[in-house]
Amino acid sequence: MSNRKPVITLENPTVEKAAEFIKEALSKRKAVILVGNCWVDYKGRASSKLEPGERIVMIKEDGSVLVHRPFGYEPVNWQPAGCLFQTSARGETLQVRASRKNPSESVKISFDKVFLLSSMSLIDRGEFSLHASESDMQRAILFDPSLLEEGFKPISYEKKVEPGFVDVYGVDREGRLVVVEIKRRTAGRDAALQLAKYVNFVKTVTHRELRGVLVAPRLAKGVQTLLTRLGLEFKSLEPKKCADILRRSETLKLVDFFEKKQP
Amino acid sequence: MSNRKPVITLENPTVEKAAEFIKEALSKRKAVILVGNCWVDYKGRASSKLEPGERIVMIKEDGSVLVHRPFGYEPVNWQPAGCLFQTSARGETLQVRASRKNPSESVKISFDKVFLLSSMSLIDRGEFSLHASESDMQRAILFDPSLLEEGFKPISYEKKVEPGFVDVYGVDREGRLVVVEIKRRTAGRDAALQLAKYVNFVKTVTHRELRGVLVAPRLAKGVQTLLTRLGLEFKSLEPKKCADILRRSETLKLVDFFEKKQP
DNA sequence: TGCTAAATCTCGAAC
DNA sequence: GTTCGAGGTTTAGCA
């Protein structure tokens, strides 16, 4: 066992003790958790005021700050990574100010009571992998183009056109060009319009016959009508199915690898 | 002083102690903070795997869960409010599973070491107010239409048209119809296209002369060209200025109120 | 409930 | 640096 002590905790510290503790921790690039009664002022891209209440404040080693109320997924106030901190005890209040430039903004958090104060150096090199993202769907279609339709042949992907990027670009069995727009969930009006934009652009640079296909698990209400009006098509495809196919393709590669290595 | 003890803390608890403590806390609808070495599996709209590492886990009283790595604003895994929890100690691992229906998904967090475990009942009724949002800009223009231009008269706002909602809709001093699209920050190509969409629609239902004005603090590069090509206009307006005007209008109302109350 | 658009969106990649 | 688009986006508002 290691005798590393990654977390140091104070319960109900005075405002002065808390300020010292936080300064020390931040100077060592540790993360800090603060629980107590506080109020918050934010000025920057917008401005906000949060009246007093009991909250959880998290300061991370990269200089990001989160103020969490006891409910809800989102922090009520925050600041992204890269902040500089000023911590002080002024009379009965502990004040932590996090500021950054570009955009210039700052969050001032004031406590009149701290229930819990912890500092910690956390070691986290664990890999994070997410499956069934839009790019997984794209890769699955490139790996197995019949997911789109029999006879489809991809030419390129993430192809730059004037208005943006075409997800997948290819030729169908009849030799017609196909522009494919992929969405990982129910596709709305915006997806149809985005595809139309790309198709219209490609029309200006080619005289070949051209199809536009929107790939998504399903369409929002009214979007099929819009697609039809725009002369576009819809192909239903589940992101999970794509993730499965990719997983299988990885397995195949592994099998391949071992067959080569151990003949 | 109150003798309420809102926070209870354990340092380096065993897996069994931790499981008991968490079950107890969640049954009382308390919030829980866990710091330790953990790995996470998520299955639901997508699926993800997070390899072991030291992280901060927050479970709130409304059943939301956040897994935070020691860096970055965003949680690496999470679950929104309304989850049900299963907590267990299995051999050397503490397992917390948060699941919900609609969409059906679950996050499984497994710890093999807990550094810090706290439960807390936080009281937070503080009011939160945010200024300088897009709707503040809209309200400011409705309150003082000369922010757009002298002689502008709003007719309606959030008006539904086929492609979406027109932010503000009015008449200029020459009697021409004006469609206004508001952005609270640098407006990009998409904002210009959105405005064009609305203007084009309104053109199909009226024969009156029609202007489209994009209101934003500034334009992204190349967007002025696009606007000109589309026959649209740009009016620079700072969200802060709008917030100030709204604040002043609130003050005016207060002044009004007191003058009526105390003649 | 479903859909639309905003957000102090954040984050990453590409130019 | 700016711009663009994805996100397990979340959240709020409205039909």
Side-chain angles (χ1 to χ4, degrees):
Chain A
M1 286 303 295
S2 93
N3 51 9
R4 192 167 74 91
K5 194 171 190 305
V7 180
I8 305 171
T9 298
L10 299 183
E11 295 189 49
N12 300 305
T14 65
V15 156
E16 290 80 11
K17 277 244 179 194
E20 279 317 303
F21 185 90
I22 294 169
K23 278 185 212 170
E24 165 89 2
L26 294 182
S27 75
K28 289 185 178 164
R29 285 226 155 237
K30 292 179 166 191
V32 171
I33 294 175
L34 265 153
V35 181
N37 196 66
C38 68
W39 53 102
V40 186
D41 283 282
Y42 159 71
K43 284 194 197 317
R45 289 165 289 178
S47 57
S48 72
K49 180 176 263 218
L50 177 62
E51 300 294 343
E54 297 171 359
R55 286 130 201 168
I56 301 167
V57 173
M58 204 185 292
I59 303 174
K60 296 193 185 184
E61 59 193 37
D62 62 358
S64 49
V65 190
L66 305 163
V67 181
H68 273 279
R69 309 191 80 164
F71 42 84
Y73 159 82
E74 289 188 327
V76 59
N77 281 111
W78 71 91
Q79 209 53 223
C83 285
L84 296 176
F85 295 88
Q86 288 173 275
T87 310
S88 61
R90 302 182 179 191
E92 297 299 305
T93 59
L94 165 67
Q95 193 171 296
V96 180
R97 180 195 287 267
S99 29
R100 63 165 178 156
K101 304 212 153 113
N102 210 339
S104 162
E105 45 185 7
S106 81
V107 168
K108 188 178 78 184
I109 312 170
S110 307
F111 284 86
D112 62 1
K113 181 75 191 104
V114 177
F115 303 134
L116 178 71
L117 175 54
S118 282
S119 72
M120 53 201 75
S121 344
L122 301 179
I123 298 173
D124 180 2
R125 313 217 181 293
E127 194 179 324
F128 177 71
S129 52
L130 178 69
H131 304 288
S133 63
E134 181 175 311
S135 71
D136 284 333
M137 293 180 73
Q138 190 188 83
R139 284 163 53 215
I141 290 176
L142 293 173
F143 176 79
D144 179 4
S146 75
L147 281 170
L148 186 75
E149 64 184 30
E150 278 311 322
F152 175 65
K153 289 199 186 72
I155 297 170
S156 73
Y157 60 97
E158 294 301 326
K159 187 179 174 57
K160 177 96 183 84
V161 295
E162 168 49 28
F165 294 86
V166 170
D167 287 341
V168 175
Y169 181 61
V171 185
D172 72 8
R173 94 186 78 176
E174 319 276 341
R176 290 172 294 203
L177 289 175
V178 185
V179 170
V180 182
E181 173 66 27
I182 301 171
K183 293 292 163 197
R184 66 170 307 285
R185 21 172 236 173
T186 307
R189 207 165 297 238
D190 55 339
L193 292 171
Q194 198 175 337
L195 175 57
K197 213 166 62 176
Y198 295 154
V199 168
N200 285 336
F201 174 79
V202 177
K203 266 188 189 150
T204 66
V205 292
T206 182
H207 295 291
R208 291 174 62 175
E209 211 176 334
L210 189 56
R211 296 167 55 202
V213 182
L214 180 55
V215 173
R218 67 202 64 80
L219 293 179
K221 203 169 20 172
V223 178
Q224 179 60 70
T225 317
L226 177 57
L227 276 179
T228 308
R229 211 164 63 214
L230 294 167
L232 304 173
E233 303 163 44
F234 167 62
K235 165 71 188 180
S236 172
L237 182 61
E238 288 294 330
K240 283 232 169 146
K241 187 175 178 186
C242 296
D244 290 345
I245 282 161
L246 286 182
R247 193 164 337 115
R248 217 171 303 145
S249 84
E250 294 300 319
T251 312
L252 285 175
K253 275 182 208 153
L254 273 182
V255 169
D256 207 38
F257 175 81
F258 280 108
E259 279 176 352
K260 276 180 190 150
K261 280 286 192 180
Q262 306 161 3
Chain B
M1 287 306 294
S2 93
N3 50 9
R4 192 166 75 91
K5 195 171 188 308
V7 180
I8 305 171
T9 298
L10 298 184
E11 293 189 51
N12 300 305
T14 65
V15 156
E16 291 79 12
K17 277 244 178 191
E20 279 317 303
F21 185 90
I22 294 170
K23 277 185 210 168
E24 164 89 2
L26 294 181
S27 74
K28 289 184 178 165
R29 285 225 153 237
K30 291 179 168 192
V32 171
I33 294 174
L34 266 154
V35 181
N37 196 66
C38 67
W39 53 101
V40 186
D41 283 283
Y42 158 72
K43 283 194 198 317
R45 286 166 291 177
S47 57
S48 72
K49 180 178 266 216
L50 178 61
E51 301 294 345
E54 297 171 357
R55 286 130 201 167
I56 301 166
V57 174
M58 204 186 293
I59 303 174
K60 296 192 185 185
E61 60 194 36
D62 62 358
S64 50
V65 189
L66 305 164
V67 181
H68 273 279
R69 309 191 80 165
F71 42 83
Y73 160 84
E74 291 185 325
V76 59
N77 281 110
W78 71 92
Q79 207 56 223
C83 285
L84 295 176
F85 294 88
Q86 288 173 277
T87 309
S88 61
R90 300 181 180 192
E92 297 298 305
T93 59
L94 165 68
Q95 193 172 296
V96 179
R97 180 194 287 269
S99 28
R100 63 164 179 158
K101 304 212 153 109
N102 210 334
S104 162
E105 45 185 7
S106 83
V107 167
K108 188 177 78 184
I109 311 170
S110 307
F111 284 86
D112 62 2
K113 181 73 191 106
V114 177
F115 304 133
L116 178 70
L117 176 52
S118 282
S119 72
M120 53 201 75
S121 345
L122 301 180
I123 298 173
D124 180 2
R125 312 217 181 295
E127 193 178 325
F128 177 71
S129 51
L130 178 70
H131 305 287
S133 64
E134 181 174 311
S135 72
D136 283 332
M137 292 180 72
Q138 192 188 81
R139 283 165 54 217
I141 290 176
L142 293 172
F143 175 78
D144 179 5
S146 74
L147 281 170
L148 186 75
E149 62 183 32
E150 277 312 319
F152 175 66
K153 289 201 187 70
I155 297 169
S156 73
Y157 60 97
E158 294 302 324
K159 185 178 175 60
K160 178 97 182 86
V161 295
E162 169 49 30
F165 294 86
V166 170
D167 287 342
V168 174
Y169 181 61
V171 186
D172 72 7
R173 95 187 78 175
E174 319 276 341
R176 292 172 293 205
L177 289 175
V178 185
V179 171
V180 182
E181 174 65 28
I182 301 171
K183 293 293 164 197
R184 66 172 307 287
R185 23 172 233 172
T186 306
R189 205 161 303 211
D190 55 338
L193 292 170
Q194 200 177 337
L195 175 57
K197 212 168 64 179
Y198 295 155
V199 167
N200 285 336
F201 175 79
V202 177
K203 268 190 186 146
T204 66
V205 293
T206 183
H207 295 292
R208 290 174 65 175
E209 210 175 335
L210 189 55
R211 296 167 55 202
V213 181
L214 180 54
V215 173
R218 67 202 65 80
L219 294 179
K221 207 170 17 179
V223 177
Q224 178 61 69
T225 317
L226 176 57
L227 274 179
T228 308
R229 210 163 65 214
L230 294 167
L232 304 173
E233 303 161 46
F234 167 62
K235 165 71 187 181
S236 171
L237 183 61
E238 288 295 330
K240 284 232 168 146
K241 187 175 177 185
C242 296
D244 290 345
I245 282 160
L246 287 180
R247 192 164 338 115
R248 216 171 305 145
S249 84
E250 296 299 320
T251 312
L252 285 175
K253 275 183 205 151
L254 273 182
V255 170
D256 206 38
F257 175 80
F258 279 108
E259 281 178 349
K260 276 180 190 149
K261 279 288 189 180
Q262 306 160 4

